[in-house]
Amino acid sequence: MSSPTASSPAATPSAAASPGSIGFNDCSRALNVAGSGIPSERLDRLSFDCGKLQVPLDYDRPDGETITVEVLRVHSREQVKRIGSLLVDPGGPGGSGIVLAVNLAGGLSDTMLSSFDLIGFDPRGVGLSTPIRCTSDADEDRLLALDPDVRTAAGFAEAKQATATVAQACTAKYRSALEHYNTVETARDMDRIRDAVGDDKMNYLGFSYGTQLGAVYAHLFPARIRAMVLDGAVDPTTTGDAIRANDQQIKGFEQAFDQFAAHCAARPACAALGQPRAAVQALRARANAAPIGSSRSGETRKATGGIVLYAVLSALYSEREWPALDAALLDARRGNAKELFELVDNYSNRSTDGSFANLLDVFLVVTCNDQPTDPADAVIKATAQRWATQYPLFGLWSATSLFQCQSWQKSRHPVPVPTAAGSPPILVVGNLHDPATPYSGAVNLTRALTTGVLLTWDGQGHTSYGQSRCIDNAVDDYLLEQNIPAANTTCPR
């Protein structure tokens, strides 16, 4: 599901809320819900209210320093049989659940909206929830453009220094508070939200990294769940292992590119590329040798090989983006990187004025705080050599990410392998051809969860709900009636 192009919400001033409560006030104008694409006949039935919840920075010190979590409640005035609230998270880490809730308000069925208040939240550190920002906009532009060959001494030093600079900036700015922006404490925030909106039991819909948040919540609070859907599962068997997790994901994107390439030959607009892998590799090499300019008015950036690969990667999240990728690659080959930058900017939450949301900052902070150990230099060098051969499109470029936590603060909060013993059935949804969270992750999460039930979609792209009527019907039936799909259910494409 795509995110609406709405500015970050800012609730109108509310009455002081006591600890554990949320003072909700209308924020529909701040959200620009009128321009969100929600049909007017539905919009007239919905209210959009925002509020702030105070939570402990450190749950080991519940009476100590607090931070704020921004929460959105979408309520239908035509609720006839209210079940409770449905908390949602889009993933990341770093994605805004408030933006997701606005998007879902336009896409969920009438029955779902008449049964649940939709609750979106910016997880701690994200958006308006005591946001973390370690880098400048210019820094993020430089990081996105990087494409060093870490097999060389110069490339290795460049990648190591670039990530160390960001880690040092984060530590200097946030000091001891930095470690508390992590998955386990965010899951505890979710329970505070459940209580604050008046629900005895949690109803939850999480996508991508949101599945990890949900699984950790289920592990910590199994008896407080009514229904939980985890779509596009993060593999619990690779949690905390940067090399195994990246290896699995790079393989998924290489396979997704093969699917793109197979379809390319059948589409005249794409067939002009020739052999897609060779075309991308040639464009990457050209962009690194002589970065490619853009025709967009006022654009000063030039596309490097890193931008070429980010654009390709971003388009592999959804088959709907393949025509845009065709056009971007062909235009770049003609010397215009405008459409490459459009793909990258959408992926990285960069606005047309050059400012970034803090998605990339939070991704780094939470990833490193969750990761118990970091790969050593020798291991990174060996892995880069292997990936360059095994994954010829994305492998060498992806090896740069292995440095990102080496200089990170060492007080970590590893994510537990979730078992959720004692919870009701938890529905795990897996897409057979998901590049970002490969299907094996859904299988492994279902096995780890004591009460996990797997629902499969034979589709393409990242996650499944909202892209398949069969999946939507099964998920809605589970959330509404707690009906679990039959074992080994697979929805066709």
Side-chain angles (χ1 to χ4, degrees):
M1 297 182 181
S2 60
S3 298
T5 54
S7 58
S8 295
T12 52
S14 62
S18 61
S21 67
I22 304 173
F24 282 110
N25 283 275
D26 175 59
C27 57
S28 55
R29 288 188 179 181
L31 286 166
N32 187 27
V33 295
S36 65
I38 300 173
S40 58
E41 63 274 13
R42 170 171 285 191
L43 198 56
D44 290 342
R45 304 196 301 267
L46 300 177
S47 62
F48 296 79
D49 298 296
C50 294
K52 297 183 184 297
L53 177 66
Q54 298 293 318
V55 299
L57 171 67
D58 177 359
Y59 275 91
D60 286 338
R61 299 176 61 212
D63 297 323
E65 183 180 350
T66 63
I67 57 175
T68 60
V69 173
E70 187 80 13
V71 180
L72 165 68
R73 180 180 62 199
V74 183
H75 172 77
S76 172
R77 299 181 183 93
E78 295 185 357
Q79 281 191 2
V80 292
K81 186 183 176 184
R82 185 179 186 277
I83 294 172
S85 303
L86 177 63
L87 187 69
V88 299
D89 183 87
S96 169
I98 290 174
V99 174
L100 175 63
V102 173
N103 191 36
L104 289 172
L108 289 179
S109 69
D110 287 336
T111 304
M112 286 288 290
L113 289 175
S114 68
S115 303
F116 295 102
D117 284 342
L118 193 57
I119 304 293
F121 73 111
D122 281 356
R124 57 170 58 200
V126 176
L128 295 179
S129 294
T130 314
I132 285 282
R133 189 70 195 269
C134 301
T135 57
S136 68
D137 294 329
D139 290 335
E140 296 208 9
D141 279 334
R142 284 191 290 271
L143 289 168
L144 288 171
L146 282 176
D147 187 20
D149 184 344
V150 301
R151 296 171 301 180
T152 68
F156 191 91
E158 181 184 10
K160 189 176 180 71
Q161 182 57 51
T163 54
T165 298
V166 177
Q168 290 158 8
C170 279
T171 301
K173 185 173 183 179
Y174 295 105
R175 300 186 182 278
S176 62
L178 188 61
E179 67 174 281
H180 299 293
Y181 293 84
N182 59 69
T183 295
V184 171
E185 291 186 274
T186 302
R188 293 188 179 279
D189 293 342
M190 289 166 53
D191 198 55
R192 293 291 183 105
I193 294 171
R194 175 202 58 76
D195 184 64
V197 298
D199 285 0
D200 291 331
K201 301 281 187 177
M202 169 73 77
N203 300 290
Y204 179 75
L205 173 60
F207 300 91
S208 195
Y209 164 76
T211 66
Q212 188 172 66
L213 265 182
V216 171
Y217 180 90
H219 185 75
L220 296 174
F221 308 107
R224 297 179 190 173
I225 295 171
R226 175 188 171 271
M228 176 171 283
V229 178
L230 307 177
D231 183 2
V234 173
D235 191 335
T237 69
T238 65
T239 298
D241 186 332
I243 291 176
R244 286 189 63 216
N246 278 277
D247 195 297
Q248 187 182 76
Q249 191 172 69
I250 300 165
K251 181 180 179 181
F253 278 111
E254 291 277 344
Q255 292 172 342
F257 188 85
D258 287 340
Q259 291 180 317
F260 163 75
H263 282 76
C264 181
R267 291 181 286 120
C270 187
L273 278 173
Q275 208 289 325
R277 274 187 180 270
V280 171
Q281 293 286 34
L283 187 61
R284 175 191 185 186
R286 171 185 163 188
N288 278 332
I292 304 167
S294 166
S295 66
R296 187 171 79 86
S297 177
E299 180 63 83
T300 59
R301 293 174 296 170
K302 291 188 176 182
T304 62
I307 294 298
V308 172
L309 291 180
Y310 260 118
V312 174
L313 184 96
S314 71
L316 296 178
Y317 274 78
S318 172
E319 191 173 350
R320 292 190 293 267
E321 294 292 329
W322 290 0
L325 179 57
D326 304 346
L329 292 172
L330 287 165
D331 253 19
R333 195 157 69 180
R334 291 188 286 263
N336 182 8
K338 177 176 178 289
E339 293 178 71
L340 287 179
F341 280 122
E342 288 175 357
L343 287 168
V344 172
D345 292 351
N346 183 62
Y347 180 69
S348 61
N349 281 9
R350 186 185 193 270
S351 299
T352 54
D353 65 2
S355 63
F356 285 84
N358 70 335
L359 171 66
L360 299 178
D361 300 83
V362 176
F363 181 88
L364 175 67
V365 170
V366 174
T367 297
C368 291
N369 283 337
D370 285 356
Q371 186 171 299
T373 59
D374 311 311
D377 284 358
V379 174
I380 294 176
K381 288 178 181 178
T383 302
Q385 292 283 358
R386 175 171 63 86
W387 283 357
T389 301
Q390 190 172 358
Y391 307 120
L393 192 60
F394 297 114
L396 187 58
W397 174 65
S398 298
T400 303
S401 68
L402 298 178
F403 293 97
Q404 65 186 1
C405 302
Q406 275 192 331
S407 300
W408 200 251
Q409 59 84 23
K410 300 305 179 185
S411 183
R412 310 289 179 87
H413 295 256
V415 176
V417 175
T419 60
S423 77
I426 294 172
L427 185 60
V428 180
V429 184
N431 181 342
L432 286 175
H433 306 289
D434 190 321
T437 51
Y439 181 71
S440 57
V443 173
N444 289 334
L445 180 59
T446 303
R447 288 172 177 163
L449 296 170
T450 306
T451 58
V453 177
L454 180 62
L455 172 65
T456 302
W457 180 42
D458 187 3
Q460 197 284 329
H462 186 36
T463 71
S464 304
Y465 188 66
Q467 302 186 76
S468 159
R469 186 180 298 275
C470 171
I471 292 290
D472 293 356
N473 289 341
V475 168
D476 289 357
D477 190 40
Y478 164 71
L479 288 171
L480 293 165
E481 304 294 340
Q482 297 177 282
N483 293 328
I484 285 292
N488 303 314
T489 296
T490 297
C491 287
R493 189 170 182 179

